[in-house]
Amino acid sequence: MALRLRKEDYLALPEAYRAFHDGISPRIPSSRIFCDPFRTLAFSTDASFYRLVPKIVVKANTPEEVAHLLRTAAPLNISVTFRAAGTSLSGQAVTDSVLVVLAGGWRNCVLHGDGEKISLGPGVIGAEANARLAPYRRKIGPDPASINHCMIGGIAANNASGMCCGTAQNSYRTVESMKIIFHDGTVLDTADPESRRSFLASHAEMVRGIEEIRDEIDKDPVLRERIRHKFRIKNTTGYSINAFVDYSDPVDILLHLMVGSEGTLGFIAEVTYRTVEDHAHNASSLVLFPDIWNACRATIRLKTGPVSAVELMDRASLRSVEKKEGMPAYLKTLGDSATGLLVETRAGDADSLARQVEEVLGLLSDVPTVFPAAFTDQKAEYEKLWNVRKGLFPAVGAARRIGTTVVIEDVVFPIETLADATVELEGLMKKHGYDEGIIFGHALEGNLHFVFTQDFSDPREVARYQRLMEDVCDMIVKKYDGSLKGEHGTGRNMAPFVEMEWGEKAYTLMKRIKRVFDPKRLLNPGVIINDNPRVYLEDLKPLPEVHEIIDKCTECGFCEIMCPSRDLTTTPRQRIVIRREISRLGAVGGDGQALRRLEADYRYLGEQTCATDGLCATTCPVSINTGEHTKELRSLQKGRFGRSAARWTAGHYATVTAGVRGGLAALGAARTVLGDRALGSAARGLRALSGARLPLWNARMPSAAPAQTFRGASSGAARKVVYFPSCIVRTMGPSPGDPDQRALFEAIRSLLEKAGYEILYPPDMPRLCCGMPFGSKGFFEEAERKRGELEAALLACSRDGEYPVLFDTSPCLYTVKQKSDPRLRLYEPVEFIHTFLMDALEFTKIPETIAVHVTCSSIKLGLREKFLAVAGACAETVVVPDRAGCCGVAGDRIFLFPELNESALSGLRDGLPAGCRSGVSNSRTCEIGLSLQSGVPYQSIAYLVDRCAARKA
């Protein structure tokens, strides 16, 4: 059920854009071309504080499509901007023209040799590349803090770095080759000699322009030395003109100019990196100094030692996290000027690590510290220290006033000036009234971030920000000869200051580079090169108040990788963008028609296709669960009839579940008579006639569970467990084709009896429910009523928590656990088996490959490793397919909006290795969708354990 192109949206486009739309439509399906007000607004934002609404958004799947887009845009003089993950911070991925978003493909990943090199599509997440390299103890060089969310295309295009890579292991230094698509649609593979020869012949004018700039720099020793000097420290201001100094071959120069070019010179279709060693041993220490001056002095000393990272955190930074759970208690006792350095050293073996620790401690021996410095090589301990650093940005984001945004600036000082420069930066922030701001960053490289909250809705506040930035830029460039951007890219934010940092001669060469690569200035115009001195103060993003659940969102986009609807409709970030605009229009009495249109389109694009799984909160820096906001919206939409029906259902739950079981039995009988093809055709026809209101039958529809009276029989066993079969399991049996045709409660009963447990069942089982079916639809009162009934029954049956309670479905367990009585000890199958049965049973591994799907609730419960351990005890090979996140089943969504499940698991079938014939999970409805999209049966992990485990002799 996709929203189709409306004629009025197409006609509202300027004539050239209509021609562009017509030109790309034969090659790219209309389902991936958007010009409606909802989706263009949804894609108007990246992680920066700028917003530009594109006229057309195109989701491109292949290099051929990108080339076609560029060839179509050029004669129409239409500019094009590319976006990968959209996590950039300087406004380099927004446009008011055509936005091309990577979608579907772009995830090719090829290792060379023993991982010494890796070829990556621009849509590969940085952490995914490192996961592929991990068995070889290798990783890619760039290590941005957003590596779990940002994509390779953005990492290379921004020359993004991070805590450890510095200037030696960034994209510029580790790139081996690229596949590049230029403004005219030409593709160059710099690793292919024939492609290079062809390009040199077909693009002689571009090559000549590159060679002329190279020769001009070569003849100017002062400029040449200036370039070398500037790139001794981290620098992403302007273009990577060090390519003209480091290389002479025009294709090699071109290759390295593409690094950090932010989509203004061409499109990066593939990158091959030389990888770096991922050391097996590391140790960390949070060293506290009496003031920032001494911390910076210590950093200068550490620069000469065997350290891989030195992260500075000023007192305001430490104060922002000191009250958070898990933080070291001593943070609260520090003086007002105390400053921390989080120091890490890495080595290939334990002995080398010990020697390096001693060397580092020696370097700090005569620098005053608050406490004696001490290192730890224990993972749990050093991860606790790194959580201090990782919590800084979220802490500022969570504490900011509603309507303000978080600004994170990125500057670099020569290391020898770090102490003076940091103190002066601190003074400038206070001078301009940013007393709440914090300073932290990669001190080893002189690369600091200063973070503060900013209200861009007030012109006086914008002027204050302008004064701060002018003073900061003046100080960095004129006094310390530093870099205005070290790793976040130039974007729009720093474009007006590129000439200030580089001088007229170098800046003129940069403008020539742009003309050589992009003569008509159609590739991401306004980024890096911009003649508007106020561009960094324009098109600022509004952040109006909407709802307390989502108001803290900074629109960073870290949530998007987790969202099952990201390739179908919208992401959590985009839902929030739209809700903010709806709120703004409502508050100012704006265009009523525009408001009604957004609200109408939000019904499907925002609410109905939200799985409410909550995984977005697990990667959100401020833990926003957009699914909870969706439930709030659903609650507001419920009328008197809906609430009455929910109350009746909750009060007659046994009748309802019996009716569902009867309906499944009837469908099973129809299936036997008609067969899958006829039944499927009939179901699709009825759904079409109903306007997609009727649920859609699918081939993995389960049979009815056998009617069962759940009564425990006293066996006199010493071990007792309360077992709660969920209402889903009480109604849904196995699907045809499932290898084990027992009901799940039968398999669990068999497993528990093998382990010598006496099984107790809560009384009056047919009326019990965890409340999730009601809560997910916004019926909060009924959800709490059912949860309370179940909790009371479990307390009584478990003798106030004396016996553990086993739920057979993870989402049900998670729902109850959010508000459960602390006396109850609640488990779903994986954790119960891992905790109580692994030692109680004899396991025999089967010679099979088993796919594991860790459900959303299991991820939120932190059960991934236990899931793999239990599956690993049963099967010789256990696999977790790439990006196997939320399955998009979401209870009844698989029947009402089956396209959500299909989109969420679009890569599952290809992600399963050859020879994988079955999968395991711990949610019955999820298993329906997993089986449907993978082509192999998924069943509860309890079946697998029952198959592989035997009573101990």
Side-chain angles (χ1 to χ4, degrees), residues 9 31 35 47 131 148 175 188 195 201 261 289 375 404 408-409 411 472 550 572 594 723 750 832 846:
D9 296 334
S31 60
C35 60
N148 291 330
V175 66
L188 167 65
S195 181
S261 62
F289 299 87
F375 278 81
T404 63
I408 177 168
E409 294 293 351
V411 299
V472 167
I550 61 175
Y723 172 35
S750 168
F832 185 86
I846 56 175

Side-chain angles (χ1 to χ4, degrees), residues 98-161:
V98 171
L99 179 67
V100 178
V101 181
L102 301 190
W106 310 108
R107 295 187 58 214
N108 51 297
C109 179
V110 179
L111 275 67
H112 305 280
D114 289 331
E116 291 91 354
K117 296 178 185 178
I118 187 169
S119 297
L120 299 163
V124 176
I125 301 293
E128 292 174 343
N130 284 341
R132 292 289 299 274
L133 290 164
Y136 302 94
R137 303 300 308 178
R138 309 287 295 178
K139 63 179 181 176
I140 60 172
D143 60 344
S146 59
I147 196 165
N148 291 330
H149 319 281
C150 62
M151 295 177 180
I152 292 297
I155 291 173
N158 292 291
N159 199 17
S161 53

Side-chain angles (χ1 to χ4, degrees), residues 522-587:
L522 298 180
L523 298 179
N524 210 7
V527 168
I528 297 182
I529 304 297
N530 197 309
D531 297 330
N532 179 0
R534 291 183 55 82
V535 67
Y536 73 109
L537 302 172
E538 298 174 356
D539 302 308
L540 300 169
K541 182 190 299 181
L543 296 173
E545 184 174 1
V546 180
H547 190 281
E548 61 182 357
I549 293 177
I550 61 175
D551 281 337
K552 294 298 183 183
C553 175
T554 62
E555 299 181 12
C556 67
F558 286 10
C559 56
E560 294 191 333
I561 185 178
M562 306 303 292
C563 182
S565 62
R566 63 183 179 273
D567 293 327
L568 176 67
T569 52
T570 51
T571 66
R573 167 166 65 175
Q574 292 171 337
R575 289 182 171 94
I576 292 171
V577 167
I578 298 297
R579 296 312 306 180
R580 282 174 167 164
E581 182 64 5
I582 288 173
S583 176
R584 187 191 69 81
L585 288 172

Side-chain angles (χ1 to χ4, degrees), residues 275-295:
T275 62
V276 301
E277 183 179 0
D278 187 12
H279 293 101
H281 298 266
N282 58 68
S284 297
S285 175
L286 178 55
V287 188
L288 296 163
F289 299 87
D291 51 49
I292 206 164
W293 172 268
N294 279 293

Side-chain angles (χ1 to χ4, degrees), residues 666-676 678-679:
L667 277 173
R671 185 175 196 165
T672 301
V673 174
L674 298 175
D676 282 5
L679 183 57

